[in-house]
Structures are given as C-alpha cells and as structure tokens.
C-alpha cells in the first residue's frame, strides 16, 4: 500500500492511494497562491498599472521589461495569472480509478487531472460539493475570460533567467508546470465524470474496496472519507470543523479503528479564534461605515460568506446600519445564495428545523427580500446605476489578482476612509496588497478559518486512535515564524509520517486476511470438531472462485459418472487434480492405550524399550519397530503393506487431524 | 435455515393503512404505519394487537420506517407511537419529516374538530411522535444497530418518497412504498441498483393497468378542462395538498400561459403557499429539469393560480378549482362538489385512485344518486372524469423495477387481491421467482440461504490464486484445502500449518520406513549411486536428487542404504516417507509408488547381477 503525494499545500491536498488493486486519488486541490506573482487583471483600463516600468536586471544583461513589471519594490509577471498544478510526473494519471473529493475548495484542479491525461475513472462527491464547486470554477473561468490578455509571458520561466530574478519569483517552484485557467468546456467535461454520493453511503470499488464519505462539518457537503476493505481501514481527513457553523456536524466516531489516518486541511490560522475574528470584522465594518467610508470584503462566493451574512443579519439593526447597502458581486452570486437554501439535508440541526416550518434556512433570504442585500453578476450593468456609497461590498477573488475586487481596490484604495477587510485565510494579505501599494485605504486582517486547530486535532486523534498518522510535513514542526510554539504542531506516538510534494510513502500495512464466502451447500457439509473448549476446526476442501475481486468457496463437484460408451475414449491421463491431501496431525499417542489397542488387533508380542524422548515398541512377531515420541511416530517395517496400513490407522486413532 | 417473515397488518391484498412487519435476521421492522380512508371505525388503523398481545411494541420492534407522507402510509403513526406506545426510532426522509406532521394535524382536525370524535391523537401527540423521527438521506447507509442497516432510494411518487433496503448480514429486503417508474412534470423516476434482495415488497395499485403515455393523458386532461371552461362550466379537481396538485398546477400554469386563458384557477386551503414552499426548499428531490433551472425560474412560483375562498364557489362564470381532499370523502372538495353536482355543464376530474367507501369511488363507479348525511340524496349531474395521474408504477413499471433490483422473491401489497393474483402469475412466469401476496395478519415465510463469510488467510488465498493461473478455467476446477477455525464469533480459514500454529498445537510427525533387503557387492555409497542412476532412468518426470548427506530423494521420499555388520553384501535399502506424502500432480499415492520402486529396484539389480 502506497501513498503518492502530488501537492505540497497542506490545505489544498492531492494524494494518490494505492490500496489493494485500486488507485484512488484523494482530493484535487489547486494551489492558487502562485497568482500572487502576477499583476492584477483590471476590469477597466487602469492607467496606474499600465504605467508600471518593466524590469531589467541591475547590470542590464537580462531584459524582461515586456513580461515583468515593478510595483512598489516588487516584481510581478504581466500575464494571465497561472496556477500551480498537482504534480503530474510522479505517476501515470490515466491509471487512477477514482477521485474522492472532500469539499468544493479541494476540487479546483479537477479539469487538469480528468482532461487530457487519459483519465477514464469516476469522481465521487456530494451534491453540494458538486454544485458549489461548479459555481466556483465557473466564477474562476469567468474572471479570467472576461478580461483576456493578449500576451502570455513565458521567457521569465527559463531556468537561467529565473535564477537572477528578485524574490519571491526566484524561489517559485516548478514554474514551467504552471498553467493558465481551464475553459468552461473543460469544467463541464470534468464535472460530467462526477457521481453523487450521500454521507455514509457505501460505495463499492471493483468489489475490492469500499469507500464512504462522512460529514466533516467544514462546509456544505464537505466530507472526510473512509477507504476500507473487510480487514483494513484508511481514514482520509480533509478540511474538518468542530465549530457550530452552518454545515452538518462532523462525524467523528466513524473514524475509529483506522489503521492509517491521512490528516490534511487543518486551520491555516492556528492562533486566530474564528469567533474573535468575526467580532472584529463587525466592529471594523461598523466603524468605517459610520465614518462615511466603504468596506470591501474580498471573499469566495460560497462558504464563510454565508456565516458573515448571517452574523451581519443580527448585527445590522443593533449597529444602526439598517440603511447601509450591502452588495454581493460575483457572476455566481445569485446561484450561490439560491443553492445555499436548498441543501437542507446537509445543514446543521437548527437550520434543518427551519426548513421543516418551511422557512429558508439562511437569513440572507430575508436580507434580499428587504433589499438590504443586493447581488449582481458584475460591476457592469445594473450595479453601476444602483450603486450607492457608503456601502459594503463582498466580492472576489480573495487573491486580489482578478475579479471585481480589483476594480474596488483601484477605486477605493486612495482614500483612508475606506477599509478592506480580509476574511479568507488562503492568501497572505500583505502579498495580496503588494501590487496596490502605496495604499491609503485601511487594511484589516480577520482571517476566519474554521478548520481544526492543533488542540482539537490532538483531542480527536486521542479519541479515534488510529494506528498510524500521515500528514503534510508542515504539521510536524511549529510554523517558521513561531518556532517556539511547540503547541502548533502534531506530537504523537508513534510520530506521524510526514509527506511533502513528490513523496512516495509506503504505508505500514500488513494485510493478512481476505473475506471469502462459503456457499451454503459447502457450509452444511463441513464437520467441525472441537479441539479446545470454544474452539472448533473443520477441514475444508473446496473450489475457489474469484470474480470481480469477490471470492467464494464451493463444494468440489463430484466427477460425472463415466457414461458407458462404446466409443473408445482417450484414456484420461490426468486424474482429477488435487486429491484431498492428508491432514496434518497433532497430539501424542499414549503408550498404555496404544498397547491395549495393539492387543485387540492381535499384536501381542510387544517389547517396550524406554528412550530419552519416548518409547520404542518392538513388535517381535512382525519384526516391526514403532517409535513413539511426543511429537512424532515412526513405523519401521518390511514391505508389508497390509500391516503398515493397519498400524497407521491404529496410530491415527489417537491423533487430531487438521 | 434462516427465514424472513413478512406480515402485513394493513395493505395486505388491500389499499389503505399500509403497515407491514418484517422479521429478518432476528430483527423486527415495521414498514409504514398508515390509516384507511374508507373506514371511520377501528378498521381505519392497522391492528397492532397482533404484536401487543405478546408484549410492548418497543420491545418487539427495532425500528419503524415511513416511506412517504401520504396518510395511508403515515396516518396511524401518532396513534401507534403515543397511544399504543412505541419509543424506538422512526425513520423517514427530510421532506417526509417536514410535511408529515402537517398532514397529520389536518387529519386530526377533520376527525376531531369537524366530526367530533374523541379518543383520537392530539396535537401534542403528533409533536411527541415527530421527536422520535430520525431523518434519512438518499443512499445513506444508516446503521440502526450493529447488525441492522437501512438505505433509502428515490421513489418518485411524491416529494420525499423513498424505497428502503433493509439489510442484516447478507440477507436483505427492499420495500418500495409507493413509487413511480416514469418521471413526471415535477418528480423524477424511481431508481434502485441491482441489489438482489431476498424479497422485494412492492405496491401493486395498478397491477393490471398498463397506462398510455403520460403525454396523452396530459393532453386529454387539458382538452377536457379547456372544453369545460369554453362552455362556461366549472371544473373541480379534488387533490391532496401535496403531490399531484403541484404536477397538475405546473401543467395548467404552462397551458394557461401558452393559450393565454383568462378563467381563474384557484387552489383551496391555506396549505398552497406552504406546500409550494416545501417544493422550493426541497428542490433537490424534484426532477432534473426543475433542479437545473431553479435559480432562473422556480417552477413552484405560479402566476395564474390564486388562493381560493369559500365564497368564490358561487361566482358566476367558468373556473378551475383544486380542492382537498382527493377522494371527496370530507372537507372542502366535498363541499364544492355538493354545490356543483347539480349542473351538467360542470365537471369533476378525479386525478387519482379512490378508496372503497369514499364518494370519489362511488361516482367513479357510475353511481348517480348519492346518499348524504341526514338521509338526503344528491343527484350527480355534472360530468365525472377519471384521469390516472396518481404516480404509481403500472404493471410495466413494476416489472421494470424487478428487472432493476433482481430480487430472489417477490411480495405484493397495496393492491386489490384479484389484480394482485394476475400480476403474481405474470411475475412468476416471466422471472421464475416465487411471488407472495399475504392478506392482513397472514405471514409469508421465505427461506434464505446465505453464504457464510469467513476470513481467509491471504497467504493461502494468494497461493491458491497463483496456482490457479491468471484466468479461471471452468473446465478444470481446482480444489483448495485449508482448515477453518471457529472461535467465538470469528471464522478463519487458514492453511493447516498455520492452524496448528494459531491453535498452539504441536505437529505430530507420522513417518513410515520400509526396509528392503538386497544383495549387492558394492560399497554403501556406490549402491546408493547405482540406485540413483537406475531410478533416474526408470522414473522419468520426477524430481530425483542425490543429496550430499548420503541420501537419495524421490520427490519427498528418502532412500538410504545400510549394510549389516555380518554380511557386507547384504544391504538394507531404507525407504522413508511421511504420512502426508502426496506428489501433485501424481499418478500414484505413496503406497503404490513404493511398490513400483521396489519392483523396479529389484528388477534393476537383477539386471546388474
């Protein structure tokens, strides 16, 4: 059993598990942090960005002014942003049988894997994961395609040139494998390979392995996965949460008794308390609005935004913000808000109860109804005429490199009245802001990451007690910036097996048993015999049938009676293969009883001689020796077949047969 | 032999008060707990005394499963759980859990408030009963306890309707509830995988019907409504608040839109709005098309259909009214019917099945004079139309489901005996499986023959698979041998050697040695070598080795030579083998082999002599 690690990003994992005869990809995360190296894509012409100077090396030998631009002391690639894909050379992706998706954030690389690689398998995901994942992909494609960039920068990727570039471009890894965004056609094709599953549904893969998604409590439809056979169990834990937000609570108990637990997707903000952050978010928002400024919230169009809106729903009245317009701008804003209301089965208990009334589970329905929250597909169209300031805008992309957020950064960046509040933990806010510097706007960092922290995860592991834990290497040491915080790492016995991008781990498994089925006819013919109290054995002779990885044992068919035929049949050279072998013997032959038995069979002249290990019986009339020892009996005689057979049967009477 | 027992307490050779007891692998499950629309006395509920005469329901039942929210499937639930007494889990899907209490409350109101019955369940009892409900998701495998698991499949029929698979070990039963094998305007078609249950318990409402295409029926329906409206008549469509109502609303709404019709369409009772809300929130349970487009246009927001008020019934001019309940046995639909029955311009369209004893059933059977309460009679002059819109599988659909699930046995409920009999014959003929149709209180017993799961040592399995070659050869079955160890609840199949080890037993070696006297003048090693070369030439195709320790091995038979102290020429050939000796493949067992060896040895030496 092996684990191939195709991504080094701990929260955007992509691993491949080879388990029994199946090849299973666990998640398909796309590392989007690579886009931070690119210039933002403005929706309308930006004089500031177009006036940036090109980059040439100090000594003037390297000139990449067409591709690289300098902005506030940093160098950015002027091209359509590109993503860092999961490793594609480590194993042949066409051999992957299935892909298990744990949540909509961890499937963004799917089209790169399922298209153009020869992939012919099935992708398993829950319905909310599929629907919201589709929205996020659609949004990404839309962000990229509506501002096409004529040029594509490739020269800077040359190894020799990259070496002389300033950081962080210089340190960027595998830049030649970075890829532009996929097309909607590829998204549709990739998603057509998804098969929907429900929590705790047992899905059989080729009869060899059973996989089952479990609620992970992190987002709508998010799941952890159990991959098991009758005797082995691997748990795959991806983004999970124990906090009470909108999704169904995490199913912890089903993770018990795992041989191996693969742990990914812990919080990226181990020191930030989500509740505290939410409070800070609200107070900063209110402060800015009261002072007459605008608030920009760069965010994904699904996930934490539902919680933010719910929090604001309660907060608006008390903070006297009833008249402030809230805008949610995304090509999929409407769909995201609508979809959130129809997944009652996947929500926490409180929200389910509301659906039974019947009321929409999320209060943003009411915010929309009362016109407090308005949503638009983009800044163009209706929004430009209806837009009032001061206001609060939720929009993407949180990297600030593309999407409508770029426009608001350019628009509001110059005024210190305005505030940008970062709530998504995926990007460093300083890096995100770099191409907009210098900025007058206030910046507040309130990352809300509800995924498990180290304290929660160690408690969880104590509870479910896996034999072995596999995790990204980042979790086995404290973060670089807080190297003294030994509480910000996993400490386990035995220590976790760390992985990094391109690792291939041999999982410590010893498979010893396989489930087979004894057909009723054979089962009825077995004759168990008790060898110890409570333990019985039966010898089994059967025909093994293996089909679709399922094994059954049937009775040995009786050879058909040879039909008396006049035709001379070819003499069967091979008799039925595999006569029942003689059983193994166990026990010992007790001397006294054996002598009595011999006597009964007319063997009376027996001379017994004691040896260090037992006795030698000399059957004088027959000129035969029988050597009796605790763990063996040896019959030595002349070539007298009937005698030997008799003696053999007498000895066997005293022994157990296996 | 293990058996599965199925006893209908209701819906055995009947439609109404569905309630079926299943005993499987030591577990007892109640499937549905409905009421009978045709009775107002004790017979309206299933006869729970079948169980309670021997003890409490809670002790007997491991769980109760409700297939969908129709009252003939859940109407007796509060009576069963709160009045007879049951505290175990009750499973149903989310939409059923949401809608079922509303219909129960409605039912209670009609019975208690309008008819003045006492000794009926109260609102509080409905609430207490619903607290015992555990929601089910589609395809989720719910572990009721360590052994009993249930799984829900989509059944079409109404919002949230489910078929359930009940599984204990390798035995299983599937109960369909009511289902529909063709998608309609708002729901999808029932689906199940090839799960090969021991018994498939299916409804058989339309056991003898094969319905024409849905499109034709829809066209017919619209034509009739349209004609009636054109001549200024009023159209009454008795429906149940949820289910067919929504389908017909979608149908009329799109028709009105297309034909630009102005006549008002009304929907009775306050349930409308609420009902449509349920459809909006549980849109994932509707059909593909509605789900795909719901963000742009929600099919359950109607433009032409307005809420009905009692006074509208006397308004002049044409109109279409959807009124509850669907079988004209009480409530608003019956009131409107009484008002409109005298005018031949008017029309009543019965879109679904009507239970015996209801007015719906009577007028469908052509009765034109109805006895009403208080000895009054009502002349029925309006047109009576029947359109089978109720979403049950027809005979074709039932056969289709059997093909999908491949059951080993079939059991029919929720249908009329005569019709069942006909379908039973068809099923037995076409699928050659047994088909049962027990009446209420009768038990059908099905013997199952489950395989025994055992854990086979991987070493043994791999060894066997390797010997068997890459492809199975059906003509040459290979026999494997092993030892089955039965300890507590575990069954392990291992090789005999491993069995000895695991049981902590010593192996007892049984060996035989045979002495053969011969005369040979050579030294002992030379004699042995001569034996060796001779055997080699005589026994082709056997492994014969001359080992450095002064022995010759023929397969696993050991040959040694020794000479007596007195006569160096008198040699003794010692042939030694163990009890287990058996070469494979072999032409001979160990004894004949030895015979052969002796004769050939002797012969050989005679030659040399």
């Amino acid at each position: 059993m092996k684990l191939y690690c195709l991504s080094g990003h701990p929260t955007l994992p992509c691993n491949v598990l080879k388990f029994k005869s199946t090849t299973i990809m666990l998640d398909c995360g796309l590392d989007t942090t690579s886009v931070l190296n690119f210039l933002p894509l403005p929706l309308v012409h930006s004089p500031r960005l177009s006036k940036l100077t090109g980059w040439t090396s100090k000594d003037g030998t390297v000139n990449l002014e067409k591709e690289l631009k300098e902005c506030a002391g940093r160098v950015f690639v002027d091209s359509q942003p590109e993503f860092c894909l999961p490793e594609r050379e480590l194993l042949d992706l066409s051999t992957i049988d299935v892909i298990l998706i744990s949540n909509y954030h961890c499937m963004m690389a799917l089209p790169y894997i399922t298209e153009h690689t020869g992939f012919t398998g099935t992708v398993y995901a829950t319905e909310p994961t599929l629907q919201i994942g589709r929205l996020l992909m659609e949004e990404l494609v839309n962000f990229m395609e509506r501002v096409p960039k004529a040029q594509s920068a490739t020269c800077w990727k040359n190894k020799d040139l990259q070496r002389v570039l300033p950081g962080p471009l210089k340190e960027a890894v595998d830049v030649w494998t970075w890829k532009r965004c996929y097309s909607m056609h590829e998204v549709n094709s990739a998603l057509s390979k998804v098969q929907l599953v429900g929590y705790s549904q047992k899905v059989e893969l080729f009869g060899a392995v059973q996989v089952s998604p479990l609620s992970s409590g992190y987002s709508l439809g998010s799941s952890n996965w159990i991959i098991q056979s009758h005797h082995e169990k691997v748990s795959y834990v991806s983004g999970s949460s124990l906090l009470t937000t909108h999704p169904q609570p995490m199913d912890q108990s089903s993770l018990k008794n795992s041989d191996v637990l693969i742990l990914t997707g812990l919080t990226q903000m181990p020191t930030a308390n989500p509740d505290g952050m939410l409070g800070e978010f609200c107070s900063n928002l209110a402060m800015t609005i009261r002072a007459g400024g605008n608030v920009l919230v760069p965010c994904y169009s699904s996930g934490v935004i539902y919680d933010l809106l719910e929090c604001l729903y309660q907060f608006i009245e008390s903070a006297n913000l009833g008249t402030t317009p809230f805008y949610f701008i995304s090509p999929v804003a409407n769909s995201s808000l609508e979809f959130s209301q129809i997944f009652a089965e996947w929500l926490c208990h409180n929200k389910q109860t509301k659906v039974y009334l019947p009321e929409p589970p999320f209060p943003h329905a009411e915010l929309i109804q009362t016109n407090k929250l308005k949503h638009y597909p983009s800044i163009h169209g209706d929004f430009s005429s209806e837009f009032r300031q001061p206001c609060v805008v939720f929009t993407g992309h949180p990297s600030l490199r593309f999407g409508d957020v770029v426009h608001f950064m350019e628009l509001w960046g110059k005024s210190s009245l305005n505030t940008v509040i970062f709530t998504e933990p995926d990007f460093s806010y300083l890096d995100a802001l770099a191409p907009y510097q210098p900025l007058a706007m206030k910046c507040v960092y309130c990352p809300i990451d509800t995924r498990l922290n180290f304290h929660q995860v160690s408690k969880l592991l104590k509870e479910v007690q896996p034999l072995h834990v596999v995790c990204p290497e980042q979790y086995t040491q404290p973060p670089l910036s807080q190297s003294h915080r030994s509480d910000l790492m996993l400490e386990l016995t035995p220590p976790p097996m760390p992985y990094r991008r391109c690792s291939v781990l041999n999982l410590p498994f010893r498979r010893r048993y396989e489930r087979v089925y004894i057909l009723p006819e054979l089962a009825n013919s077995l004759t168990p015999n008790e060898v110890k109290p409570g333990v019985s054995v039966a010898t089994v002779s059967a025909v093994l049938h293996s089909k679709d990885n399922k094994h059954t044992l049937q009775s040995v068919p009786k050879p058909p009676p040879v039909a008396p035929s006049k035709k001379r049949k070819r003499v069967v050279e091979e008799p039925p293969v595999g006569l029942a072998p003689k059983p193994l013997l166990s026990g010992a032959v007790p001397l006294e009883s054996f002598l009595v038995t011999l006597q009964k069979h007319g063997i009376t002249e027996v001379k017994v001689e004691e040896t260090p290990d037992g006795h030698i019986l000399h059957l004088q009339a027959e000129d035969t020796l029988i050597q009796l020892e605790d763990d063996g009996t040896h019959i030595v005689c002349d070539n007298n077949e009937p005698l030997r057979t008799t003696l053999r049967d007498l000895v066997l009477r005293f022994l157990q047969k296996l | 032999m293990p058996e599965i027992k199925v006893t209908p307490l209701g819906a055995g050779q009947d439609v109404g008060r569905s309630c079926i007891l299943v005993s499987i692998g030591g577990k007892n499950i109640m499937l549905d707990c409905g009421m009978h629309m045709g009775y107002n006395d004790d017979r309206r509920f299933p006869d729970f005394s079948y169980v309670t005469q021997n003890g409490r329901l809670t002790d007997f039942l491991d769980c109760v499963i409700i297939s969908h929210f129709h009252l003939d499937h859940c109407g007796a639930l509060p009576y069963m759980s709160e009045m007879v007494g049951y505290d175990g889990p009750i499973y149903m899907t989310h939409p059923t859990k949401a809608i079922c209490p509303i219909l129960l409350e409605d039912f209670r109101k009609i019975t208690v408030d309008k008819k003045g019955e006492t000794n009926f369940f109260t609102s509080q009892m409905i609430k207490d009963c619903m607290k015992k409900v555990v929601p089910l998701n589609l395809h989720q495998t719910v572990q009721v306890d360590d052994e009993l698991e249930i799984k829900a499949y989509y059944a079409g029929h109404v919002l949230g309707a489910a078929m359930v698979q009940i599984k204990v070990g390798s035995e299983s039963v599937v109960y369909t509830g009511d289902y529909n094998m063709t998608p309609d305007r708002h729901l999808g078609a029932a689906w199940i995988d090839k799960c090969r249950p021991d018994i498939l318990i299916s409804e058989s409402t339309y056991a003898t019907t094969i319905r024409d295409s849905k499109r034709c029926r829809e066209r017919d329906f619209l034509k009739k409504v349209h004609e009636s409206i054109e001549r200024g008549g009023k159209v009454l469509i008795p429906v149940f608040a949820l289910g067919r109502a929504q389908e017909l609303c979608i149908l009329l709404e799109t028709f009105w839109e297309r034909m630009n019709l102005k006549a008002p369409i009304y929907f009775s009772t306050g349930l409308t709005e609420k009902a449509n809300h349920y459809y909006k929130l549980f849109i994932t349970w509707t059909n593909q098309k509605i789900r795909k487009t719901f963000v742009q246009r929600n099919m359950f927001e109607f433009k032409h259909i307005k809420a009905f008020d009692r006074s509208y019934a006397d308004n002049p001019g044409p109109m279409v009214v959807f009124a509850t309940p669907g079988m004209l046995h009480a409530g608003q639909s019956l009131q409107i019917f009484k008002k409109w029955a005298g005018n031949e311009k008017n029309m009543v369209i019965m879109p679904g099945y009507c239970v015996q004893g209801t007015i719906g059933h009577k007028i469908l059977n052509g009765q034109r004079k109805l006895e009403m309460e208080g000895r009054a009679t009502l002349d029925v002059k309006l047109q009576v139309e029947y359109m089978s819109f109720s979403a049950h599988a027809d005979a074709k659909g039932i056969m289709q489901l059997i093909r999908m699930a491949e059951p080993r046995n079939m059991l029919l409920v929720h249908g009329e005996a005569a019709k069942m009999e006909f379908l039973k014959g068809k099923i037995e003929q076409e699928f050659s499986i047994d088909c049962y149709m027990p009446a209420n209180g009768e038990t059908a017993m099905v013997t199952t023959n489950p395989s025994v799961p055992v854990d086979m040592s991987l070493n043994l399995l791999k060894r066997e698979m390797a010997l068997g070659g890459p492809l199975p050869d059906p003509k040459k079955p290979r026999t494997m041998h092993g030892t089955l160890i039965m300890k507590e609840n575990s069954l392990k199949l291992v090789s005999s050697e491993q069995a000895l080890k695991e049981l902590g037993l010593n192996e007892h070696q049984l060996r035989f040695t045979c002495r053969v006297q011969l005369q040979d003048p050579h030294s002992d090693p030379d004699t042995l070598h001569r034996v060796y070369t001779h055997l080699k030439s005589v026994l082709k195709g056997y492994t014969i080795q001359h080992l450095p320790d002064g022995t010759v091995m023929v397969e696993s038979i050991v040959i040694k030579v020794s000479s007596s102290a007195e006569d160096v020429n008198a040699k003794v050939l010692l042939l030694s083998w163990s009890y287990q000796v058996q070469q494979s493949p072999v032409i001979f067992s160990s004894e004949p082999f030895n015979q052969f060896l002796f004769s050939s040895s002797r012969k050989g030496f005679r030659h040399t002599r």
Side-chain angles (χ1 to χ4, degrees), chain A residues 345 532 541-542 623 633-634, chain B residues 285 480 503 508-509 513 515:
Chain A
E345 283 98 325
K532 282 181 184 177
S541 292
D623 190 18
T633 300
H634 194 172
Chain B
W285 287 79
M480 61 78 56
L503 295 169
H508 190 97
Q509 290 278 352
T513 297
R515 294 169 302 207

Side-chain angles (χ1 to χ4, degrees), chain B residues 423-483:
Chain B
L423 184 64
K424 172 176 146 78
K426 266 190 74 176
I427 290 170
E428 288 180 332
Q429 188 192 353
E430 186 165 341
F431 300 101
S432 338
I433 55 175
D434 287 332
C435 183
Y436 303 81
M437 40 175 284
N440 288 338
E442 254 176 42
T443 300
M445 283 205 238
V446 173
T447 316
T448 58
N449 216 352
S451 312
V452 183
V454 302
D455 296 330
M456 182 165 174
S457 140
L458 207 58
N459 291 338
L460 182 60
L461 181 66
K462 283 200 171 148
R463 194 168 79 194
E464 287 302 322
M465 304 240 308
L467 286 172
L471 290 168
D473 184 351
K475 284 187 191 148
K476 260 195 267 167
R478 261 191 45 76
T479 311
M480 61 78 56
H481 307 280
T483 302

Side-chain angles (χ1 to χ4, degrees), chain A residues 202 231 345 356 512 514 516 518 532 536 538 540-542 583 585-587 623 631 633-635 637 641, chain B residues 94 140 149 278 285 452 454-456 458 480-482 484 486 500 503 506 508-509 511 513 515 580 591:
Chain A
K202 293 175 178 169
H231 298 285
E345 283 98 325
Y356 294 154
R512 294 181 52 211
E514 179 74 88
V516 301
I518 298 188
K532 282 181 184 177
S536 304
V540 179
S541 292
L585 305 173
S586 176
D623 190 18
D631 54 359
T633 300
H634 194 172
I635 300 171
C637 62
E641 185 61 27
Chain B
H94 284 274
Q140 174 193 15
E149 59 179 51
Y278 282 116
W285 287 79
V452 183
V454 302
D455 296 330
M456 182 165 174
L458 207 58
M480 61 78 56
H481 307 280
L484 188 64
M486 288 162 260
L500 279 178
L503 295 169
N506 286 332
H508 190 97
Q509 290 278 352
R511 287 194 74 80
T513 297
R515 294 169 302 207
Q580 281 84 12
E591 323 296 342

Side-chain angles (χ1 to χ4, degrees), chain B residues 109-126:
Chain B
K109 269 192 200 146
I110 290 177
T111 320
V112 177
D113 300 354
K114 295 236 170 90
K115 295 189 189 161
E117 279 188 45
T118 49
N119 194 24
F120 204 72
F121 54 79
T122 63
S123 296
Q124 188 56 44
M125 285 177 182
I126 298 176

Side-chain angles (χ1 to χ4, degrees), chain A residues 127 131 196 198-202 230-231 248 334-335 338-339 341-345 349 352 354-361 511-520 523-524 526 528-529 531-532 534-546 551 553 556-557 573-575 577-589 622-625 629-641 644-645 648 651-652 655-658, chain B residues 1 94-95 97-99 102 135-143 149 151 170 274-275 277-278 280-285 291 294-296 298 449-459 461-462 464-465 472 476-488 492-494 496-500 502-517 574 576-577 579-582 584-587 589-591 594-595 598 602:
Chain A
E127 178 155 20
Q131 302 299 0
L196 296 181
Y199 286 150
S200 308
Q201 180 176 344
K202 293 175 178 169
H230 279 287
H231 298 285
Q248 209 180 95
N334 186 24
S335 300
E338 288 287 338
F339 269 111
Q341 306 286 22
I342 64 159
F343 292 125
E345 283 98 325
H349 183 73
Q352 276 181 2
K354 287 187 85 179
V355 175
Y356 294 154
L357 291 178
E359 277 172 24
R511 295 186 46 221
R512 294 181 52 211
Y513 287 99
E514 179 74 88
R515 180 57 59 95
V516 301
Y517 293 88
I518 298 188
L519 291 189
N524 291 336
L526 296 179
N529 87 60
V531 289
K532 282 181 184 177
V535 183
S536 304
V537 297
T539 48
V540 179
S541 292
V543 177
L544 177 71
H545 283 273
S546 298
H551 311 285
L553 291 175
V556 181
E573 283 170 5
E574 283 175 273
V577 182
L579 286 175
K582 301 250 173 63
L584 289 185
L585 305 173
S586 176
V589 182
E622 293 80 10
D623 190 18
T624 291
L625 290 173
E629 287 172 8
D630 277 350
D631 54 359
T633 300
H634 194 172
I635 300 171
V636 185
C637 62
D638 284 339
N639 186 26
N640 180 347
E641 185 61 27
R644 190 159 52 228
T645 312
R648 179 194 71 191
V651 169
L652 286 178
L655 297 172
Q656 284 170 337
K657 290 141 208 101
L658 287 177
Chain B
M1 280 283 179
H94 284 274
K97 186 182 173 190
I99 296 165
I102 295 171
L136 265 181
N137 293 330
L138 283 185
H139 301 167
Q140 174 193 15
T141 309
V142 174
Q143 217 67 46
E149 59 179 51
K151 179 177 176 183
S170 52
K274 231 179 172 181
H277 258 302
Y278 282 116
K280 284 189 223 165
L281 291 173
F282 287 112
I283 208 114
T284 53
W285 287 79
R291 280 155 60 181
F294 90 102
V295 177
Q296 290 78 42
N298 200 315
N449 216 352
S451 312
V452 183
V454 302
D455 296 330
M456 182 165 174
S457 140
L458 207 58
N459 291 338
L461 181 66
K462 283 200 171 148
E464 287 302 322
M465 304 240 308
K476 260 195 267 167
R478 261 191 45 76
T479 311
M480 61 78 56
H481 307 280
T483 302
L484 188 64
I485 307 178
M486 288 162 260
K487 200 157 107 188
E488 282 152 14
K492 281 187 199 165
L493 182 60
V494 298
S496 308
E497 294 86 352
Q498 196 182 339
L500 279 178
E502 293 211 0
L503 295 169
L505 298 175
N506 286 332
E507 188 186 345
H508 190 97
Q509 290 278 352
L510 176 56
R511 287 194 74 80
F512 304 92
T513 297
C514 178
R515 294 169 302 207
V516 184
Q517 318 277 346
L574 296 168
S576 176
W577 66 96
Y579 172 62
Q580 281 84 12
V581 161
Q582 181 185 60
S584 180
V586 281
I587 311 178
S589 66
S590 58
E591 323 296 342
N594 281 287
Q595 296 286 349
F598 296 134
R602 285 203 188 114

Side-chain angles (χ1 to χ4, degrees), chain B residues 172-377:
Chain B
S172 68
V173 169
V174 169
Y175 173 58
T176 64
D178 292 354
Y179 63 105
N180 188 7
M181 293 301 286
T182 45
D184 63 29
R185 290 202 170 246
H186 74 307
L187 297 174
W191 178 86
I192 195 162
D193 51 16
K194 195 177 283 180
C195 56
R196 298 196 174 99
D198 291 298
I199 309 177
L200 174 63
I201 305 176
S202 171
E203 64 136 326
S204 50
T205 323
Y206 289 120
T208 53
T209 321
I210 289 179
R211 292 184 294 181
D212 47 6
S213 88
K214 192 100 193 180
R215 295 258 162 238
C216 292
R217 265 175 290 149
E218 287 180 356
R219 243 198 329 267
D220 263 16
F221 170 78
L222 292 171
K223 205 172 125 204
K224 281 182 179 140
V225 172
H226 195 191
E227 281 168 6
S228 195
I229 295 291
E230 291 282 274
R231 60 169 185 262
K234 295 179 168 55
V235 181
L236 171 66
I237 308 171
V239 288
F240 287 98
L242 287 132
R244 265 347 77 200
Q246 276 69 28
E247 187 189 358
L248 296 177
C249 283
I250 292 175
L251 193 61
L252 281 189
E253 167 94 7
T254 38
F255 186 68
W256 250 237
E257 186 103 30
R258 204 173 70 224
M259 306 293 286
N260 201 16
L261 296 177
K262 294 287 179 259
I265 309 176
Y266 297 114
F267 200 115
S268 81
T269 80
L271 257 176
T272 341
E273 194 93 353
K274 231 179 172 181
N276 291 339
H277 258 302
Y278 282 116
Y279 279 85
K280 284 189 223 165
L281 291 173
F282 287 112
I283 208 114
T284 53
W285 287 79
T286 61
N287 71 27
Q288 198 87 34
K289 196 178 147 208
I290 293 183
R291 280 155 60 181
K292 264 203 163 142
T293 55
F294 90 102
V295 177
Q296 290 78 42
R297 162 152 168 60
N298 200 315
M299 289 296 271
F300 298 102
E301 275 160 18
F302 301 115
K303 270 192 273 173
H304 298 274
I305 301 167
K306 308 268 171 359
F308 181 74
D309 186 276
R310 202 179 277 222
S311 62
Y312 296 173
D314 298 322
N315 284 359
M319 67 173 84
V320 179
V321 176
F322 289 97
T324 54
M327 300 185 193
L328 286 180
H329 55 282
Q332 202 155 27
S333 61
L334 184 58
Q335 281 174 17
I336 300 172
F337 175 77
K338 283 187 201 162
K339 272 196 178 152
W340 294 356
N343 189 338
E344 59 275 3
K345 269 207 289 188
N346 295 342
M347 182 188 284
V348 61
I349 300 180
M350 306 299 297
Y353 182 86
C354 288
V355 164
Q356 236 170 22
T358 59
I359 290 188
H361 188 262
K362 287 176 190 159
I363 58 169
L364 281 180
N365 281 340
Q367 213 170 314
R368 288 313 215 174
K369 272 198 192 312
L370 298 171
E371 281 170 39
M372 307 308 285
E373 283 149 39
R375 294 212 191 115
T377 52

